Amino acid sequence: MKLIKLTALSAAVLASTAALAADPIIIVDNNNNAVVYQAEPVAYTTAPAYQYNNDAGVIRNTTGAVVGGTKTAFSKVVNPASVSAEIGSLGYGANIAWSLNENTELQAGWAGGDAAELFGGDFDVKDVNYDFDTDFSNPYLGVQLRPAGNWFTVGAGIIVPDNEITAKANAEGAGVGSYYRVDGNKYFVNDPRSDVSIDLKNADEINVGSVTADLEHRNKLAPYLTVGFRPNITNNFGLFGEIGAAYMGKTTATVTASGFNGDAAIGKIKEELENENWLEWLPIVKLGATYRF
């Protein structure tokens, strides 16, 4: 009986190791009966390296569960989660995003071009209306967060601005007697003395001529913050919108006037432009589309 039990125990151990070979296994029970079993091969599956979360709209990277270290980091770099195209107050642009986890993406992008053209090109600074021409170049690096795991997003990062801004003042009125209203004073474009209806209070206010200004932001790095939404249309395509601001810092204005007595207006116009809040805190408004891999 002991021999039979020992034989059965040995056969059971052999069965566990022979299963991989898929060979027949013979086991002798306590009644000295032989039973033949056919081992079935065992199939193993591995989870994909990336899984798409349809509710959150992000790609989850599971590579770290299989491999780690340098190989995982390299995989993230060469396999971005998405690419996006955008248009807004910083210009036309695009970005690439890498998924760090279900709720966090790292973004690298660029926006630029003539952003003023997108919004009509003219803005008021105090009492003077200006036509703005812009040549923006705004590379940026940021993080896009989904704090609630849904469509709502919060973005933060750094812009490296290299923006050229030119402003040309538009005079009030037309022809003889047209003027710029600066700090409560009228600065005439042309000599208005042929118009008897004009009260000449100060001779320095005559013949200011055309007024232009070149503006440059002083910040070399500009932090930004946005809030937005990123709904998914399909598993691969989505839309997004964001609003926020970037702190570009104070501007340096170089003002020129073509008239004989233009110096009288230059100082005040320079001060008004350099103190304009929306130039210091540049608004961010953008819309775009995203393709997810």
Side-chain angles (χ1 to χ4, degrees):
M1 182 66 66
K2 290 183 178 180
L3 178 59
I4 293 174
K5 291 183 178 180
L6 181 61
T7 303
L9 179 60
S10 300
V13 173
L14 289 173
S16 65
T17 57
L20 295 176
D23 291 333
I25 301 170
I26 300 174
I27 297 178
V28 180
D29 59 18
N30 290 334
N31 296 322
N32 204 26
N33 295 321
V35 182
V36 179
Y37 293 91
Q38 181 68 38
E40 296 293 336
V42 180
Y44 295 91
T45 60
T46 302
Y50 289 87
Q51 296 176 347
Y52 181 75
N53 186 326
N54 189 59
D55 294 329
V58 298
I59 301 295
R60 183 179 181 182
N61 187 348
T62 61
T63 306
V66 182
V67 294
T70 304
K71 187 174 181 180
T72 302
F74 181 77
S75 175
K76 287 178 179 291
V77 171
V78 299
N79 295 288
S82 64
V83 294
S84 301
E86 64 185 56
I87 182 173
S89 57
L90 296 180
Y92 309 87
N95 69 64
I96 302 175
W98 293 267
S99 178
L100 302 182
N101 55 50
E102 289 184 349
N103 298 325
T104 308
E105 285 185 345
L106 178 66
Q107 290 183 335
W110 177 90
D114 189 356
E117 188 179 52
L118 298 173
F119 299 92
D122 69 295
F123 301 90
D124 291 333
V125 178
K126 299 298 183 180
D127 295 324
V128 181
N129 179 264
Y130 293 87
D131 285 328
F132 279 85
D133 290 321
T134 60
D135 186 7
F136 277 7
S137 178
N138 291 295
Y140 62 88
L141 182 65
V143 176
Q144 195 71 226
L145 303 174
R146 296 175 183 266
N150 55 21
W151 294 0
F152 175 72
T153 61
V154 176
I158 292 292
I159 299 172
V160 186
D162 183 15
N163 300 324
E164 296 179 7
I165 306 173
T166 301
K168 182 178 180 181
N170 295 315
E172 297 184 38
V176 174
S178 59
Y179 61 91
Y180 310 107
R181 189 187 302 274
V182 181
D183 196 28
N185 296 319
K186 291 182 178 180
Y187 294 87
F188 295 100
V189 175
N190 300 300
D191 188 339
R193 279 173 288 191
S194 60
D195 188 341
V196 295
S197 65
I198 295 177
D199 180 17
L200 298 178
K201 296 183 296 181
N202 192 330
D204 289 337
E205 297 177 0
I206 302 171
N207 286 327
V208 171
S210 61
V211 176
T212 60
D214 293 321
L215 305 173
E216 181 180 0
H217 288 111
R218 300 173 190 174
N219 279 12
K220 302 305 179 186
L221 294 175
Y224 72 86
L225 180 67
T226 63
V227 295
F229 65 96
R230 289 179 174 261
N232 301 310
I233 306 303
T234 69
N235 283 349
N236 296 108
F237 289 96
L239 302 175
F240 68 88
E242 293 179 44
I243 59 173
Y247 181 67
M248 296 290 187
K250 294 288 187 178
T251 57
T252 297
T254 303
V255 182
T256 58
S258 63
F260 298 121
N261 298 312
D263 291 345
I266 285 178
K268 294 187 178 295
I269 290 176
K270 174 181 173 67
E271 180 181 353
E272 289 183 352
L273 287 170
E274 291 182 347
N275 290 335
E276 188 62 27
N277 287 334
W278 68 262
L279 287 171
E280 182 178 356
W281 291 88
L282 194 65
I284 295 178
V285 180
K286 65 169 69 174
L287 296 172
T290 296
Y291 177 83
R292 298 191 177 280
F293 298 103

